[in-house]
Amino acid sequence: MAPKYIIEHMEDNLHEWCLLEYYHIATFIHPSNLYFTNLSMIAETSFKNSEIPKETNFITENIINMNVPMDKICLLDPASNQVLEPTDGDAFEYFLFGGILGDDPPRDRTSELRRLGFTTRNLGAMQMTTDTAVHVTKRIVDDRVPINQIPYIDFPEIKISKTESVIMPFRYIAIPDSHKSTLQTTDNEMKQNIVPLLPSGMIDLLKKDGDMAFEF
């Protein structure tokens, strides 16, 4: 049985950043195995009007009210003292993530789920975006790739104009650069010809946010 992935939405609103990351998740997790929980009615409507497949499970209730046995759920928690391993794909049926916008430095908002008593695993010490955390988890428990065999890029610098760039304070999966990249990377990354795996539309959103920062 394929693992199921639950993203407990923990923001007050459905921000553009969240929607881009959630849509990215829907491109590599089958809709029947993907759950978005704790949605307000507004967020649920936004989801159903988005490009996320309609077969995806959109749920207004939170994870506790889903009647899923606690021992079947693994919470991905940066504070866990145990690293996620391929064999955890046999031990758990559901993998739970906090759907939050990352902070720099992190504010440990996963604690809101941790205190509910789920078994936890971590994905290493570096903070990841929600879509990256789900993708890494899938690689480990579904594809059976150990965490230390997944290629990463940390803190990629993304060029948003001729004179401006943004450093993303997260770890991303590294992929081959198949075309001329808009990303500024370290010398080592350039030699490897790799770029971070970003949601479609993320660079445009960064440019938009950069433009808004100069509006008064």
Side-chain angles (χ1 to χ4, degrees):
M1 181 180 295
K4 296 177 174 59
Y5 301 85
I6 303 172
I7 292 82
E8 177 95 341
H9 185 65
M10 299 174 67
E11 297 291 344
D12 293 334
N13 299 304
L14 187 60
H15 304 280
E16 283 186 86
W17 285 84
C18 289
L19 199 53
L20 279 181
E21 291 186 8
Y22 292 171
Y23 175 64
H24 189 207
I25 293 170
T27 65
F28 55 82
I29 301 296
H30 192 277
S32 63
N33 296 325
L34 180 58
Y35 296 75
F36 291 101
T37 61
N38 199 38
L39 300 177
S40 67
M41 294 303 293
I42 294 175
E44 184 180 25
T45 300
S46 297
F47 268 114
K48 290 182 177 179
N49 291 333
S50 73
E51 297 181 73
I52 296 175
K54 301 300 183 287
E55 299 80 10
T56 303
N57 301 280
F58 303 107
I59 300 172
T60 55
E61 297 289 334
N62 60 33
I63 180 64
I64 288 299
N65 294 321
M66 282 183 59
N67 296 320
V68 177
M70 292 280 286
D71 62 349
K72 298 290 186 181
I73 301 174
C74 174
L75 170 64
L76 279 300
D77 181 1
S80 178
N81 59 12
Q82 190 167 342
V83 177
L84 186 71
E85 298 181 357
T87 53
D88 287 318
D90 300 319
F92 301 100
E93 186 175 348
Y94 297 85
F95 292 87
L96 173 62
F97 307 80
I100 55 180
L101 294 174
D103 298 298
D104 186 27
R107 290 187 292 155
D108 190 27
R109 293 184 59 194
T110 306
S111 62
E112 298 174 35
L113 294 173
R114 183 188 312 132
R115 61 173 174 249
L116 298 177
F118 297 106
T119 301
T120 63
R121 296 288 189 272
N122 74 63
L123 297 173
M126 298 291 295
Q127 184 178 200
M128 298 178 182
T129 59
T130 303
D131 57 315
T132 300
V134 175
H135 207 159
V136 169
T137 299
K138 179 184 184 301
R139 293 286 301 275
I140 295 171
V141 302
D142 212 349
D143 302 337
R144 303 301 169 116
V145 179
I147 192 169
N148 59 2
Q149 293 183 20
I150 300 172
Y152 302 106
I153 291 180
D154 299 333
F155 308 134
E157 184 176 355
I158 301 175
K159 190 172 182 179
I160 59 175
S161 73
K162 291 182 179 179
T163 58
E164 297 174 289
S165 61
V166 176
I167 295 177
M168 304 296 285
F170 307 109
R171 165 169 285 181
Y172 291 90
I173 290 177
I175 59 174
D177 187 3
S178 59
H179 57 276
K180 184 175 176 58
S181 177
T182 58
L183 304 178
Q184 300 296 311
T185 57
T186 66
D187 289 342
N188 184 50
E189 288 159 358
M190 290 176 68
K191 291 175 183 177
Q192 297 179 57
N193 198 33
I194 56 176
V195 294
L197 178 59
L198 299 173
S200 176
M202 180 59 70
I203 293 177
D204 288 337
L205 182 56
L206 288 170
K207 291 177 181 178
K208 175 183 173 182
D209 286 353
D211 290 341
M212 290 178 62
F214 292 98
E215 294 180 359
F216 294 92

